[in-house]
Amino acid sequence: MVKIAVIGGGASGMAAAIRAAQRPACTVTLLERQARVGRKLLATGNGRCNLTNTQAVPARYHGADPAFPAEVLAAWPSARVLELFASLGLRTVTEYGGRVYPASGHAASVLDVLRLALERPNVEIVTAAPVERIARRDGRFTVVWPGGALEADRVIVACGGCAGSKLGGVTDGYTLLERLGHSRTALRPALTSLRTAPEYPRALKGIRAEAGVKLLRGETVLAEAQGDVLFTETGVSGTAIFEISRAAAAGGEGLAVSLCFSPDDEAAVLADLRARRARWPSLAANGILTGAVQSRLGQMLCRSAGISGGTQCAALGDGELRALARAVRDFRLPVIGVSGFETAQVTAGGVRTAEFDPETLRSRLVPGLYACGEVLDVDGDCGGFNLQWAWASGLTAGELR
Ligand SMILES: Cc1cc2nc3c(=O)[nH]c(=O)nc-3n(C[C@H](O)[C@H](O)[C@H](O)COP(=O)(O)OP(=O)(O)OC[C@H]3O[C@@H](n4cnc5c(N)ncnc54)[C@H](O)[C@@H]3O)c2cc1C
């Protein structure tokens, strides 16, 4: 009987355990630090779990060796991952940009089918077991946590990264692998919100808008994205911001984010503003964007263009409308930093992939040792790419080739 220990009961660890348990004559012990498995999974996709993306190609992934994920993604493309989930009972829907969600609209459905799949006689789940040490002697492993230990023939490290620390993101996986001789690259928060000069975001806290987003140094565009923007107490968040956050984290000082709230060019926005002035001559001037953008955002755009509520639309000159058209197309906020691991969705950096075989995820340094998921130096774009990596790499490691 081959004994397999999977350390970490998150997305990649559960996938690895399910796959490993399909092997004949083996037992799998899944060790989870927290009181229950899959806690972070429940929070993904704003509680809906964007579990994969139908366009998950290697170009959507980052790390010191950007080609590293290619073989795993070719063996477990999103279509095959979705077939597996369908066989476990999960119904899914595919939305804009290839983002896949459970049809129920609840992340819990994903966790439920994984937990059901793990209810097998040869799988044991041990929770509240923060593994502190993995030792290898005479070709076997000893895995130790406070109050327990087990012997194993193979070990899969699936401890995740340190992003989402409120949900249990920790550095344990890096430490465990480093003690076995592995090394890691620098760790940075990725897919995270930006901290900006507080004046505007604070007043707009809680407001969401669809926007084109650019990260700028002076007038040079460093990164751009289109999508959801959420104003927060400290700056801006949302999927479009997450997409430019990697460049912001690496970008140093002197950055600004530009938000564009209209798909039309500046001349068309100006023509629309003139029509609005004619339609509502006696309306308070800072209401001129009524119906075009959320009302508090409209007032804020007016304020940034120097338009107050003290006058009426009819009193607005063309110069003021031009300034407003510019603000609608290029609302700038100086960036003062990126948020940390607490709110980041993923860790950029991790255990060096050169130390693992890209086809099997077997350690090149320690026979019988495997790693999968975010603990490795692989991180994906926003849109289901990180969970796709977690499933695909977990399923690959679970094959124990
Ligand atoms: C708020 C939020 C929303 C997200 N939304 C999405 C999304 O919609 N789509 C998407 O693709 N990605 C999303 N992500 C990213 C995605 O959740 C992760 O990339 C993915 O969960 C990584 O899987 P993993 O198995 O490597 O790590 P995790 O899922 O973090 O699992 C690691 C597990 O190991 C356990 N562990 C750690 N140390 C030990 C130890 N010493 N002993 C035992 N157990 C240990 C942890 O408690 C945890 O349960 C989101 C992340 C966050 C934080």
Side-chain angles (χ1 to χ4, degrees):
M1 190 65 83
V2 180
K3 288 191 170 178
I4 299 151
V6 179
I7 305 174
S12 67
M14 286 189 281
I18 288 169
R19 192 71 177 159
Q22 288 167 354
R23 289 163 57 97
C26 77
T27 62
V28 178
T29 307
L30 179 61
L31 295 158
E32 168 52 47
R33 191 178 146 269
Q34 301 189 73
R36 54 201 160 97
V37 294
R39 184 165 164 232
K40 190 189 281 180
L41 201 53
L42 293 176
T44 57
N46 282 327
R48 288 179 66 210
C49 184
N50 178 193
L51 74 151
T52 185
N53 192 297
T54 57
Q55 296 153 23
V57 291
R60 306 303 302 258
Y61 293 87
H62 316 275
D65 177 8
F68 183 82
E71 287 184 61
V72 164
L73 294 170
W76 283 98
S78 61
R80 188 171 176 213
V81 166
L82 286 172
E83 261 170 41
L84 174 80
F85 270 108
S87 76
L88 301 182
L90 188 73
R91 286 184 52 232
T92 55
V93 290
T94 303
E95 296 187 1
Y96 172 77
R99 294 164 190 241
V100 182
Y101 296 87
S104 69
H106 292 278
S109 299
V110 181
L111 182 54
D112 288 346
V113 299
L114 291 168
R115 290 175 63 151
L116 268 180
L118 287 166
E119 279 182 18
R120 294 172 61 118
N122 63 340
V123 177
E124 186 189 8
I125 298 179
V126 184
T127 54
V131 171
E132 288 178 341
R133 196 161 55 84
I134 307 168
R136 188 168 187 277
R137 232 179 67 192
D138 302 332
R140 297 205 84 205
F141 294 93
T142 308
V143 177
V144 183
W145 65 95
L150 62 76
E151 299 263 301
D153 301 293
R154 312 280 180 89
V155 169
I156 302 174
V157 175
C159 296
C162 44
S165 47
K166 275 188 193 159
L167 302 163
V170 286
T171 53
D172 292 21
Y174 310 115
T175 311
L176 291 171
L177 287 168
E178 278 170 329
R179 286 196 190 135
L180 287 165
H182 282 281
S183 60
R184 65 164 174 82
T185 62
L187 307 175
R188 278 183 286 115
L191 303 188
T192 192
S193 48
L194 298 184
R195 289 185 293 118
T196 63
E199 186 193 359
Y200 295 120
R202 199 163 285 164
L204 295 172
K205 187 178 159 189
I207 289 176
R208 273 182 192 281
E210 169 75 18
V213 169
K214 286 183 184 150
L215 182 74
L216 302 169
R217 175 172 285 112
E219 293 307 313
T220 307
V221 179
L222 304 180
E224 55 188 319
Q226 174 75 37
D228 191 39
V229 172
L230 170 70
F231 291 91
T232 69
E233 175 81 26
T234 53
V236 277
S237 183
T239 54
I241 299 296
F242 290 162
E243 294 203 18
I244 63 165
S245 64
R246 173 188 319 281
E253 309 267 291
L255 301 177
V257 61
S258 161
L259 306 177
C260 173
F261 298 105
S262 171
D264 301 328
D265 65 16
E266 209 170 300
V269 175
L270 180 61
D272 176 57
L273 291 175
R274 285 184 180 133
R276 287 167 176 270
R277 178 177 57 188
R279 188 182 306 132
W280 297 317
S282 56
L283 183 72
N286 66 356
I288 193 165
L289 287 168
T290 299
V293 296
Q294 201 275 352
S295 61
R296 256 198 297 153
L297 175 59
Q299 286 168 15
M300 191 59 73
L301 290 170
C302 286
R303 200 178 112 196
S304 79
I307 296 170
S308 75
T311 45
Q312 294 181 332
C313 288
L316 291 173
D318 253 18
E320 286 165 307
L321 292 191
R322 254 188 215 101
L324 183 55
R326 211 168 307 125
V328 169
R329 298 262 319 145
D330 182 7
F331 184 55
R332 282 211 196 179
L333 301 166
V335 173
I336 54 176
V338 294
S339 302
F341 284 112
E342 203 168 286
T343 50
Q345 289 204 350
V346 72
T347 313
V351 175
R352 282 184 211 282
T353 49
E355 297 166 0
F356 289 83
D357 171 43
E359 195 186 335
T360 59
L361 300 183
R362 195 175 53 210
S363 163
R364 295 191 197 274
L365 309 183
V366 184
L369 178 70
Y370 296 76
C372 55
E374 201 177 307
V375 74
L376 289 168
D377 177 18
V378 174
D379 63 293
D381 290 343
C382 186
F385 298 99
N386 285 298
L387 282 172
Q388 167 61 21
W389 169 248
W391 313 127
S393 61
L395 291 162
T396 300
E399 281 161 12
L400 297 163
R401 284 180 287 149

